[in-house]
Amino acid sequence: MKLIVKVFPEITIKSRPVRMRFIRQLAKNIRAVLRDLDPAVVVNGVWDNLELETRLTDAKALKDMTERLSCMPGIAHFLQVDEYALGDFDDITEKCKLHFGDSLEGKIFSVRCKRAGKHPFSSMDVEKYVGSKLRRECGAAGISLKAPQIEVRMEIRDQRLFVIHSQHNSIGGYPLGALEQTLVLMSGGFDSTVAAYQIMRRGLMSHFCFFNLGGRAHELGVMEVAHFIWKKYGSSQRVLFVSVPFEEVLGEILGKVDNSHMGVVLKRMMLRAASRIADQLQIDALVTGEAISQVSSQTLPNLSLIDCVTEKLVLRPLIASHKQDIIDLAEEIGTADFAKHMPEYCGVISVNPKTHAKRNRVEYEEQQFDMAILERALENAKLVPIDRVIDELGQDVQIEEVSEALAGQIVIDIRHPDAAEDEPLEIAGIDVQTLPFYALNARFKELDDSRQYLLYCDKGVMSRLHAHHLLSEGHANVRVYRPS
């Protein structure tokens, strides 16, 4: 199968060296993302379009390939085509007839042709000739350029003809790896996940930094959603997940800082810590999911006070976004379900929080804070490659596993809904229920506590992690199902 990959339009207005660098990076990213599906995939082109050739024939693998390309920064859209040597107009007509002839009878259609190279004819000449002949020979009802039922599309490039079967849109932006790196402050909610997506979509390689205020459940939830975003939109690059234990920092703020200033001080401590981590990783920009005046710490005066603790550039891609627009985009990119079920944590709840905090007062409050606690948090920060974060989490978790489900037990398939739908788990005589991992912690308490539950996932890692957490929460009726 052959695909023509159309690059993000802004790439085409760059200078020649920049344009070629971006397109080379995009080709490299495509090969990296598709390598496990087709190690022999061929991606060529250094100036305009990229041409991708694969020998994949399996329907599921082709679907996976399409989904991955549809989520890749740098691609505007891509076309599935058949390629032929360019002949005369009659030959072009026959090639179009071969692919569209059977579907034109009784239909209104149009012919669209794009052309690149030197030819003794124009695109319009091709459209008129092919359209007229197809109408006569295929029993079409007519031709309409404004409202066709079927579009016969083709591209002519030098001495090659491409007949287009379908078009798939992607997310645009610049290729990951072609621009700078950032450190995204990730809480796992709607705002931070959408901000991470926006930054990645623009082509900025994004590492993830999580400040743990809520224990193991919150850390696990944020790791899962960060891994999801990376896997779907950024897996061409290896990035880090950084987890900073911030419970002691929060405790110090609750005990030493005036109630109305707690929110601003906490954000300042997070930026201080993130800046140190960014220095370590040689990153110049931080990213947050803050939107102007969404909460008290996000007024312009407070954001200014927060930013002044760092020399790093702080990017806020959602700064002028409405909350509902953020939620809608989270639904579109697949992070909303994670955010809805993110475990709650005991954050800073101020009474009458300051919306216009004064710098001298904030600095006075911070004088009461023991900065050695912040240093300890940084010393205990964990940096893990995002592609290994779930596996490494599960290495030291020992949970009872069973290879066979018994009558009366319930198997809970905790895989992502897409995976559960593509390959449903069926066990003769056993009740199998689907409950995605991101909803498990919140909804497990609703289940019948007199029944035994076996958690299932592909590798057994996620099921071990969630079983371990549920057991630690006092649910003794949980094990892991690992069929032999």
Side-chain angles (χ1 to χ4, degrees), residues 229-292:
I229 296 171
W230 167 80
K231 186 68 176 175
K232 188 168 185 178
Y233 301 104
S235 62
S236 64
Q237 308 294 322
R238 293 192 74 193
V239 298
L240 294 172
F241 183 90
V242 184
S243 182
V244 186
F246 238 52
E247 295 98 326
E248 192 179 2
V249 172
L250 176 59
E252 181 75 355
I253 291 172
L254 291 171
K256 301 284 184 66
V257 175
D258 174 71
N259 189 286
S260 63
H261 290 82
M262 287 179 177
V264 171
V265 171
L266 177 63
K267 292 288 185 69
R268 282 165 61 95
M269 293 299 172
M270 287 179 173
L271 273 199
R272 286 188 175 100
S275 298
R276 293 272 296 277
I277 293 165
D279 283 339
Q280 180 182 342
L281 300 176
Q282 298 183 319
I283 292 172
D284 294 325
L286 308 176
V287 178
T288 79
E290 291 157 319
I292 189 68

Coordinates of all heavy atoms in Angstrom, one line a residue, residues 229-292:
I229 N -1.0 10.0 26.7 CA -0.7 11.2 25.8 C 0.5 10.9 25.0 O 0.6 11.2 23.8 CB -0.6 12.5 26.6 CG1 -1.9 12.8 27.3 CG2 -0.2 13.6 25.7 CD1 -1.8 13.9 28.3
W230 N 1.6 10.5 25.7 CA 2.9 10.2 25.0 C 2.7 9.1 23.9 O 3.1 9.3 22.8 CB 4.0 9.8 26.0 CG 5.2 9.2 25.3 CD1 6.2 10.0 24.7 CD2 5.5 7.9 25.1 NE1 7.1 9.1 24.1 CE2 6.7 7.8 24.3 CE3 4.8 6.7 25.5 CZ2 7.3 6.6 24.0 CZ3 5.4 5.5 25.1 CH2 6.6 5.4 24.4
K231 N 2.1 8.0 24.3 CA 1.9 6.9 23.4 C 1.1 7.3 22.1 O 1.4 6.9 21.0 CB 1.2 5.8 24.1 CG 1.1 4.5 23.3 CD 2.5 3.8 23.1 CE 2.4 2.5 22.4 NZ 3.7 2.0 22.1
K232 N 0.1 8.1 22.3 CA -0.8 8.5 21.2 C -0.3 9.6 20.4 O -0.4 9.5 19.1 CB -2.2 8.9 21.8 CG -3.3 9.1 20.7 CD -4.7 9.2 21.3 CE -5.7 9.3 20.2 NZ -7.1 9.4 20.8
Y233 N 0.4 10.6 21.0 CA 0.8 11.7 20.2 C 2.3 12.0 20.1 O 2.7 12.8 19.3 CB 0.1 13.0 20.8 CG -1.4 12.9 20.8 CD1 -2.1 12.7 22.0 CD2 -2.1 13.1 19.6 CE1 -3.5 12.6 22.0 CE2 -3.5 13.0 19.6 CZ -4.2 12.8 20.8 OH -5.5 12.7 20.8
G234 N 3.1 11.3 21.0 CA 4.5 11.7 21.0 C 5.5 10.5 21.0 O 6.6 10.7 21.4
S235 N 5.0 9.3 20.6 CA 5.9 8.1 20.8 C 7.1 8.1 19.9 O 7.9 7.2 20.0 CB 5.1 6.9 20.7 OG 4.5 6.7 19.4
S236 N 7.2 9.0 19.0 CA 8.4 9.1 18.1 C 9.6 9.5 18.9 O 10.8 9.3 18.5 CB 8.2 10.0 16.9 OG 8.0 11.4 17.4
Q237 N 9.4 10.1 20.1 CA 10.5 10.6 20.9 C 10.5 10.0 22.3 O 9.4 9.7 22.8 CB 10.5 12.1 21.1 CG 10.3 12.9 19.8 CD 11.5 12.7 18.9 OE1 12.7 12.7 19.4 NE2 11.3 12.6 17.6
R238 N 11.6 9.7 22.9 CA 11.7 9.2 24.3 C 11.8 10.4 25.2 O 12.6 11.3 25.1 CB 12.8 8.3 24.5 CG 12.7 7.0 23.7 CD 13.8 6.0 24.2 NE 13.5 5.4 25.5 CZ 14.3 4.8 26.2 NH1 15.5 4.6 25.8 NH2 13.9 4.3 27.4
V239 N 10.9 10.5 26.2 CA 10.9 11.6 27.1 C 10.8 11.0 28.5 O 10.6 9.8 28.7 CB 9.7 12.5 26.9 CG1 9.8 13.2 25.5 CG2 8.3 11.8 27.0
L240 N 10.9 11.9 29.5 CA 10.9 11.4 30.9 C 9.6 11.7 31.7 O 8.9 12.7 31.4 CB 12.1 12.1 31.7 CG 13.5 11.7 31.2 CD1 14.5 12.6 31.9 CD2 13.8 10.2 31.5
F241 N 9.3 10.9 32.6 CA 8.2 11.2 33.6 C 9.0 11.5 34.9 O 9.7 10.6 35.4 CB 7.2 10.1 33.7 CG 6.1 10.4 34.7 CD1 5.0 11.0 34.2 CD2 6.2 10.1 36.1 CE1 3.9 11.3 35.1 CE2 5.2 10.4 36.9 CZ 4.0 11.0 36.5
V242 N 8.8 12.6 35.5 CA 9.4 13.0 36.8 C 8.4 13.1 37.8 O 7.4 13.8 37.7 CB 10.2 14.4 36.6 CG1 10.9 14.7 37.9 CG2 11.1 14.4 35.4
S243 N 8.5 12.4 38.9 CA 7.6 12.4 40.0 C 8.3 13.0 41.3 O 9.3 12.4 41.7 CB 7.0 11.0 40.3 OG 6.1 11.0 41.4
V244 N 7.8 14.1 41.8 CA 8.4 14.8 42.9 C 7.5 14.6 44.1 O 6.3 15.1 44.1 CB 8.6 16.3 42.6 CG1 9.4 16.9 43.8 CG2 9.3 16.4 41.3
P245 N 7.9 14.0 45.2 CA 7.1 13.8 46.4 C 6.9 15.2 47.1 O 7.8 15.8 47.6 CB 7.9 12.9 47.3 CG 9.3 13.0 46.8 CD 9.3 13.4 45.4
F246 N 5.7 15.7 47.1 CA 5.4 17.1 47.6 C 4.5 17.1 48.8 O 4.1 18.2 49.2 CB 4.8 17.9 46.4 CG 5.6 19.1 46.1 CD1 6.9 19.1 45.8 CD2 5.0 20.4 46.0 CE1 7.7 20.2 45.5 CE2 5.7 21.5 45.7 CZ 7.0 21.4 45.4
E247 N 4.2 15.9 49.4 CA 3.4 15.9 50.6 C 4.0 16.7 51.7 O 3.3 17.5 52.4 CB 3.1 14.5 51.0 CG 2.3 13.6 50.0 CD 3.2 12.8 49.2 OE1 4.4 13.2 48.9 OE2 2.8 11.6 48.8
E248 N 5.3 16.6 51.9 CA 5.9 17.3 53.1 C 5.9 18.8 52.8 O 5.8 19.6 53.7 CB 7.3 16.8 53.3 CG 8.0 17.2 54.6 CD 9.4 16.7 54.8 OE1 9.9 16.0 53.9 OE2 9.9 17.0 55.9
V249 N 6.1 19.1 51.5 CA 6.1 20.6 51.2 C 4.7 21.1 51.4 O 4.6 22.2 52.0 CB 6.5 20.8 49.7 CG1 6.2 22.2 49.2 CG2 7.9 20.3 49.4
L250 N 3.7 20.4 51.1 CA 2.3 20.8 51.3 C 2.1 21.0 52.8 O 1.5 21.9 53.3 CB 1.3 19.8 50.7 CG -0.1 20.1 50.9 CD1 -0.6 21.5 50.4 CD2 -1.0 19.0 50.3
G251 N 2.6 20.0 53.6 CA 2.4 20.0 55.0 C 3.0 21.3 55.6 O 2.5 21.9 56.6
E252 N 4.2 21.6 55.2 CA 4.9 22.8 55.7 C 4.1 24.1 55.3 O 4.0 25.0 56.2 CB 6.3 22.9 55.0 CG 7.2 24.0 55.5 CD 7.7 23.9 56.9 OE1 7.4 22.9 57.6 OE2 8.5 24.8 57.3
I253 N 3.5 24.1 54.1 CA 2.7 25.3 53.8 C 1.5 25.4 54.6 O 1.2 26.5 55.1 CB 2.3 25.2 52.3 CG1 3.6 25.4 51.4 CG2 1.3 26.2 51.9 CD1 3.3 25.1 49.9
L254 N 0.8 24.3 54.9 CA -0.4 24.3 55.7 C -0.1 24.7 57.1 O -0.9 25.3 57.8 CB -1.0 22.9 55.7 CG -1.6 22.4 54.4 CD1 -2.0 21.0 54.4 CD2 -2.9 23.3 54.0
G255 N 1.1 24.4 57.6 CA 1.5 24.7 59.0 C 2.1 26.1 59.2 O 2.0 26.6 60.3
K256 N 2.7 26.6 58.1 CA 3.5 27.9 58.3 C 3.0 29.1 57.6 O 3.4 30.2 57.9 CB 5.0 27.6 57.9 CG 5.7 26.5 58.6 CD 6.1 26.9 60.0 CE 6.9 25.8 60.7 NZ 8.2 25.5 60.0
V257 N 2.2 28.9 56.5 CA 1.8 30.0 55.6 C 0.4 30.4 55.9 O -0.5 29.6 56.2 CB 2.0 29.6 54.2 CG1 1.4 30.7 53.2 CG2 3.4 29.2 53.8
D258 N 0.2 31.8 55.9 CA -1.1 32.3 56.1 C -2.1 31.7 55.1 O -1.8 31.5 53.9 CB -1.1 33.8 55.9 CG -2.5 34.5 55.9 OD1 -3.1 34.5 57.0 OD2 -2.9 34.9 54.8
N259 N -3.3 31.4 55.6 CA -4.3 30.6 54.8 C -4.6 31.3 53.5 O -4.6 30.6 52.4 CB -5.6 30.5 55.6 CG -6.6 29.5 55.0 OD1 -7.2 29.9 54.0 ND2 -6.7 28.4 55.6
S260 N -4.7 32.6 53.4 CA -5.1 33.2 52.2 C -4.1 33.2 51.1 O -4.3 33.6 49.9 CB -5.6 34.6 52.4 OG -4.6 35.4 53.0
H261 N -2.8 32.9 51.5 CA -1.7 33.0 50.5 C -1.2 31.6 50.2 O -0.2 31.4 49.4 CB -0.5 33.8 51.1 CG -0.8 35.2 51.2 ND1 -1.5 35.8 52.3 CD2 -0.5 36.3 50.4 CE1 -1.6 37.1 52.1 NE2 -1.0 37.4 50.9
M262 N -1.8 30.5 50.7 CA -1.3 29.2 50.5 C -1.2 28.8 49.0 O -0.3 28.2 48.6 CB -2.2 28.2 51.2 CG -2.0 28.2 52.7 SD -3.1 27.0 53.5 CE -2.6 27.2 55.2
G263 N -2.3 29.1 48.2 CA -2.3 28.7 46.8 C -1.2 29.3 46.0 O -0.5 28.6 45.3
V264 N -0.9 30.6 46.2 CA 0.2 31.2 45.5 C 1.5 30.6 45.9 O 2.4 30.4 45.1 CB 0.1 32.7 45.7 CG1 1.4 33.4 45.1 CG2 -1.1 33.3 45.0
V265 N 1.7 30.4 47.2 CA 3.0 29.9 47.7 C 3.2 28.5 47.2 O 4.3 28.2 46.8 CB 3.0 29.9 49.2 CG1 4.3 29.2 49.8 CG2 3.0 31.4 49.7
L266 N 2.2 27.7 47.1 CA 2.4 26.3 46.6 C 2.8 26.3 45.2 O 3.7 25.6 44.8 CB 1.1 25.5 46.8 CG 1.1 24.1 46.2 CD1 2.1 23.2 46.9 CD2 -0.3 23.5 46.3
K267 N 2.2 27.2 44.4 CA 2.5 27.3 42.9 C 4.0 27.8 42.8 O 4.7 27.3 41.9 CB 1.6 28.2 42.2 CG 0.1 27.7 42.1 CD 0.1 26.6 41.1 CE -1.4 26.1 40.9 NZ -2.2 27.1 40.2
R268 N 4.4 28.7 43.6 CA 5.8 29.2 43.6 C 6.8 28.1 43.9 O 7.8 28.0 43.3 CB 5.9 30.4 44.5 CG 5.3 31.7 43.9 CD 5.2 32.8 45.0 NE 6.4 33.2 45.7 CZ 7.2 34.2 45.3 NH1 6.8 35.0 44.3 NH2 8.2 34.5 46.0
M269 N 6.4 27.3 44.9 CA 7.3 26.1 45.2 C 7.4 25.1 44.1 O 8.4 24.6 43.8 CB 6.8 25.5 46.5 CG 6.9 26.3 47.8 SD 8.6 26.8 48.2 CE 8.3 27.9 49.5
M270 N 6.3 24.9 43.4 CA 6.3 24.0 42.3 C 7.1 24.5 41.1 O 7.9 23.8 40.5 CB 4.8 23.8 41.8 CG 4.0 22.9 42.7 SD 2.3 22.7 42.0 CE 1.7 21.4 43.2
L271 N 7.0 25.8 40.9 CA 7.9 26.4 39.8 C 9.3 26.4 40.2 O 10.2 26.2 39.3 CB 7.4 27.8 39.5 CG 6.3 28.0 38.5 CD1 6.3 29.5 38.0 CD2 6.4 27.1 37.3
R272 N 9.6 26.6 41.5 CA 11.0 26.6 41.9 C 11.6 25.1 41.6 O 12.7 25.0 41.1 CB 11.2 26.9 43.4 CG 11.0 28.3 43.7 CD 11.4 28.6 45.2 NE 11.3 30.0 45.5 CZ 10.3 30.6 46.2 NH1 9.3 29.9 46.5 NH2 10.4 31.9 46.4
A273 N 10.8 24.1 42.0 CA 11.3 22.8 41.9 C 11.4 22.4 40.4 O 12.3 21.8 40.0 CB 10.3 21.8 42.6
A274 N 10.3 22.8 39.6 CA 10.3 22.5 38.2 C 11.5 23.1 37.5 O 12.1 22.5 36.6 CB 9.0 22.9 37.5
S275 N 11.9 24.3 37.9 CA 13.0 25.0 37.3 C 14.3 24.3 37.6 O 15.2 24.2 36.7 CB 13.1 26.4 37.8 OG 12.0 27.2 37.5
R276 N 14.5 23.7 38.8 CA 15.7 23.0 39.1 C 15.8 21.7 38.2 O 16.8 21.3 37.8 CB 15.7 22.6 40.6 CG 15.8 23.8 41.5 CD 17.3 24.1 41.7 NE 17.9 23.0 42.5 CZ 17.8 22.8 43.8 NH1 17.2 23.7 44.5 NH2 18.4 21.8 44.4
I277 N 14.6 21.0 38.1 CA 14.6 19.8 37.3 C 14.9 20.2 35.8 O 15.6 19.5 35.1 CB 13.2 19.1 37.4 CG1 13.1 18.6 38.8 CG2 13.1 18.0 36.4 CD1 11.7 18.2 39.2
A278 N 14.3 21.3 35.3 CA 14.6 21.7 34.0 C 16.0 22.0 33.7 O 16.6 21.7 32.7 CB 13.7 22.9 33.6
D279 N 16.7 22.7 34.7 CA 18.1 22.9 34.6 C 18.9 21.6 34.5 O 19.8 21.5 33.6 CB 18.6 23.6 35.9 CG 18.2 25.1 35.9 OD1 18.0 25.7 34.8 OD2 18.2 25.7 37.0
Q280 N 18.5 20.6 35.3 CA 19.1 19.3 35.2 C 19.0 18.7 33.8 O 19.9 18.0 33.3 CB 18.5 18.4 36.3 CG 19.1 17.0 36.3 CD 18.4 16.2 37.4 OE1 17.8 16.7 38.3 NE2 18.6 14.9 37.3
L281 N 17.9 18.9 33.2 CA 17.6 18.3 31.9 C 17.9 19.2 30.7 O 17.7 18.9 29.6 CB 16.1 17.9 31.8 CG 15.6 16.9 32.8 CD1 14.1 16.7 32.7 CD2 16.3 15.6 32.7
Q282 N 18.5 20.4 31.0 CA 18.8 21.4 30.0 C 17.6 21.8 29.2 O 17.6 21.9 28.0 CB 20.0 20.9 29.1 CG 21.2 20.6 29.9 CD 22.4 20.2 29.0 OE1 22.2 19.4 28.1 NE2 23.6 20.7 29.2
I283 N 16.5 22.1 29.9 CA 15.3 22.6 29.3 C 15.0 24.0 29.7 O 15.2 24.4 30.8 CB 14.1 21.7 29.7 CG1 14.3 20.3 29.2 CG2 12.8 22.3 29.3 CD1 13.3 19.3 29.7
D284 N 14.6 24.8 28.7 CA 14.5 26.3 28.9 C 13.1 26.8 29.2 O 12.9 27.9 29.5 CB 15.0 27.1 27.7 CG 16.5 26.9 27.6 OD1 17.2 26.8 28.6 OD2 17.0 26.8 26.4
A285 N 12.1 25.9 29.0 CA 10.7 26.3 29.1 C 9.9 25.4 29.9 O 10.0 24.2 29.8 CB 10.1 26.5 27.7
L286 N 9.0 25.9 30.8 CA 8.0 25.2 31.6 C 6.6 25.4 31.0 O 6.3 26.4 30.4 CB 8.0 25.6 33.0 CG 9.4 25.7 33.7 CD1 9.2 26.2 35.1 CD2 10.0 24.3 33.7
V287 N 5.8 24.4 31.1 CA 4.4 24.5 30.6 C 3.4 24.2 31.7 O 3.6 23.2 32.4 CB 4.2 23.5 29.4 CG1 2.7 23.5 28.9 CG2 5.2 23.7 28.3
T288 N 2.4 25.0 31.9 CA 1.3 24.7 32.8 C 0.0 24.8 32.1 O -0.2 25.3 31.0 CB 1.3 25.7 34.0 OG1 0.7 27.0 33.6 CG2 2.7 26.0 34.5
G289 N -1.1 24.3 32.8 CA -2.4 24.3 32.2 C -3.3 25.4 32.7 O -4.5 25.3 32.7
E290 N -2.7 26.5 33.2 CA -3.4 27.6 33.8 C -4.2 28.4 32.8 O -3.7 28.6 31.7 CB -2.5 28.5 34.6 CG -2.0 27.8 35.9 CD -0.7 28.4 36.4 OE1 0.2 28.7 35.5 OE2 -0.5 28.5 37.6
A291 N -5.4 28.8 33.1 CA -6.2 29.7 32.3 C -6.6 30.9 33.2 O -6.8 30.8 34.4 CB -7.5 29.0 31.8
I292 N -6.6 32.1 32.5 CA -6.7 33.3 33.3 C -7.9 33.3 34.2 O -9.1 33.1 33.7 CB -6.6 34.5 32.4 CG1 -6.5 35.8 33.1 CG2 -7.8 34.5 31.4 CD1 -5.2 36.0 33.8

